[in-house]
Amino acid sequence: MALKPEPTAPFHSVQYALRVLEAVSKHGNGVTDTQIARETGLPVGHLASLLLTLRREGYVEQITDGAYVTGSSLLLLGSGPARRQALEAKLQQTLVQLRDSVGAAVYISRYVDGEIRVTQYADGPQTPAVNEWVDFRSAAHASAIGKCLLTQLDQNGRRDHLSRHKIARLTSRTITSERVLFSKLDSQPATVPVLDLQEYAVGTVCAAVPLTAGASAGCLALSLPVEDAHRLRAAADALNRRAAPVLLSLAL
């Protein structure tokens, strides 16, 4: 299975963020934004918003003279066996904040060994998770998560998946033609959220944006009850804007 070489805007932001973190970590006593810009080659204007995000996530901190140092979140990650647990905890914290800001249940899904896996999610009493009435692994053609992951695979990868998980009609809105499905996937802009308008489950609408980290396809998704469908577009746009911190947590 091969990924399509289409890095998204969040991907580029994460690459820049990693460069900034590397520059900050080299200066134990702090480094100014001017020096960071010089070392990374990033324009000061772009760097300002990036530093704001990194401060919000706790990856850098600003000390009294305005210089930046490594933040507590990055220090807590440490190394060794505890690193994975710390990363998952940080990622879960980010998901909870995202859930509250977009007002919807949110999910991280990865395409691993030819299967769709929801690896973490955050829901709540006011933001219920979708009822997985059909295994997500068998519903890639219908769910926002599945379609978003399939957009990141090449044609052979898609056909391989659908040869093992046959297209089935889940609701009256489900696409059941492989040709039509592939056409929609190919026409999906990389920077626009993938939508599921009751294609997976009656009563639920969803959106997903790609999170491509390394050689693994991934996505960040949300779900809303259909009575809140009027909020889907705005929530999906907010999800897209907030994808970079989640991708950064996956990349560390």
Side-chain angles (χ1 to χ4, degrees):
M1 184 273 292
L3 297 183
K4 294 169 65 179
E6 296 179 345
T8 60
F11 174 86
H12 290 301
S13 295
V14 167
Q15 299 308 301
Y16 298 151
L18 291 174
R19 283 158 58 183
V20 171
L21 291 177
E22 182 180 7
V24 172
S25 67
K26 290 191 298 185
H27 299 272
N29 295 322
V31 59
T32 65
D33 54 358
T34 302
Q35 181 65 24
I36 295 172
R38 187 179 301 118
E39 293 185 13
T40 61
L42 296 176
V44 174
H46 182 83
L47 182 61
S49 62
L50 197 53
L51 284 168
L52 182 62
T53 297
L54 292 173
R55 286 179 61 191
R56 186 187 303 122
E57 297 298 318
Y59 292 122
V60 301
E61 294 175 2
Q62 196 168 23
I63 52 181
T64 52
D65 62 356
Y68 292 89
V69 296
T70 299
S72 57
S73 291
L74 203 58
L75 293 173
L76 285 173
L77 295 182
S79 59
R83 181 176 175 81
R84 176 178 290 276
Q85 185 175 355
L87 280 169
E88 289 180 354
K90 173 59 180 172
L91 190 53
Q92 189 63 31
Q93 180 185 39
T94 301
L95 287 180
V96 168
Q97 293 170 347
L98 185 57
R99 175 201 67 193
D100 294 342
S101 67
V102 302
V106 293
Y107 316 76
I108 289 177
S109 183
R110 308 295 292 274
Y111 196 77
V112 182
D113 296 329
E115 298 293 353
I116 293 171
R117 297 182 183 175
V118 175
T119 54
Q120 284 183 252
Y121 68 96
D123 63 350
Q126 304 304 315
T127 54
V130 63
N131 174 31
E132 191 178 348
W133 76 284
V134 173
D135 193 319
F136 282 137
R137 292 176 297 180
S138 303
H141 63 291
S143 68
I145 283 175
K147 289 188 292 181
C148 189
L149 293 175
L150 288 178
T151 62
Q152 298 172 62
L153 305 185
D154 60 16
Q155 293 287 335
N156 291 335
R158 294 174 187 172
R159 289 196 174 94
D160 173 71
H161 184 88
L162 295 179
S163 71
R164 292 179 286 107
H165 299 287
K166 302 298 184 183
I167 290 179
R169 186 177 298 280
L170 305 182
T171 76
S172 62
R173 294 174 176 264
T174 305
I175 296 173
T176 56
S177 163
E178 181 177 296
R179 179 184 59 79
V180 173
L181 176 65
F182 282 18
S183 176
K184 286 186 173 293
L185 296 178
D186 288 335
S187 63
Q188 175 70 34
T191 56
V192 176
V194 178
L195 302 182
D196 158 20
L197 304 176
Q198 300 190 87
E199 297 168 55
Y200 169 74
V202 174
T204 302
V205 294
C206 306
V209 296
L211 291 177
T212 304
S216 176
C219 73
L220 178 64
L222 64 81
S223 66
L224 287 167
V226 71
E227 54 265 30
D228 290 333
H230 62 282
R231 294 202 296 111
L232 182 63
R233 296 281 181 176
D237 289 341
L239 188 78
N240 209 9
R241 291 193 301 271
R242 293 291 305 276
V246 177
L247 184 52
L248 180 59
S249 295
L250 293 173
L252 289 172

